[in-house]
Amino acid sequence: MKSLMGVWIDHKKAVIVAAGDAIATTVQSGVRGRTRFSGGSGHPGGYISQRGQSEKRGEERHRNALDRYLDAVVAAVRGAEALLILGPGEAKTELATRLGRTRSKGPRISTAAADKLTQAQIVAAVSRFFEPRPVATRSKAAAARARRGGSRAR
């Protein structure tokens, strides 16, 4: 059976849905917002202040927490043949990049921008994206003309 999945993701949570399934799995990030520091990161005189080092450590903690979160999402979609990634910001491209770096053959990835969606809207969007589309067929008259090698207007 094909494994077609969709993910709506931002830096706070990810909602994971299998196509055709009404049940969604949510992965919470646990990443706290960034701490904002006023002023620059160092003294204009050239030495680094204590605050500058604190900012660097805070950024590293934030990046590590995002990495753990993205790893959890990657683990949740492991085995998917195709994946639709929806989301409002950079998280969808970060996830697509993370999935592209895996050494094994990964899923086909499609991304699309989407604002905040309810769980039902996410399920509907994923199902609609992966629903089979009818194959265009020729009419009997067009097929007969093609066999004769001619066209209707001469």
Side-chain angles (χ1 to χ4, degrees), residues 104-125:
S104 62
K105 184 180 177 203
R108 291 182 323 228
I109 300 171
S110 301
T111 60
D115 285 333
K116 295 278 184 183
L117 299 175
T118 65
Q119 185 171 327
Q121 290 172 323
I122 296 167
V123 169

Side-chain angles (χ1 to χ4, degrees), residues 54-136:
S54 176
E55 283 182 61
K56 208 180 269 188
R57 279 194 303 272
E59 286 295 319
E60 287 176 11
R61 268 190 242 112
H62 186 264
R63 184 75 245 163
N64 289 337
L66 278 177
D67 286 343
R68 285 190 302 272
Y69 167 59
L70 290 174
D71 287 341
V73 175
V74 167
V77 298
R78 187 165 286 133
E81 290 181 24
L83 184 65
L84 171 64
I85 303 174
L86 304 165
E90 294 178 10
K92 67 180 173 292
T93 55
E94 291 172 2
L95 178 60
T97 302
R98 175 79 47 120
L99 286 165
R101 285 191 299 205
T102 58
R103 298 199 187 280
S104 62
K105 184 180 177 203
R108 291 182 323 228
I109 300 171
S110 301
T111 60
D115 285 333
K116 295 278 184 183
L117 299 175
T118 65
Q119 185 171 327
Q121 290 172 323
I122 296 167
V123 169
V126 170
S127 295
R128 190 171 42 249
F129 182 82
F130 287 117
E131 74 183 8
R133 292 170 180 81
V135 178

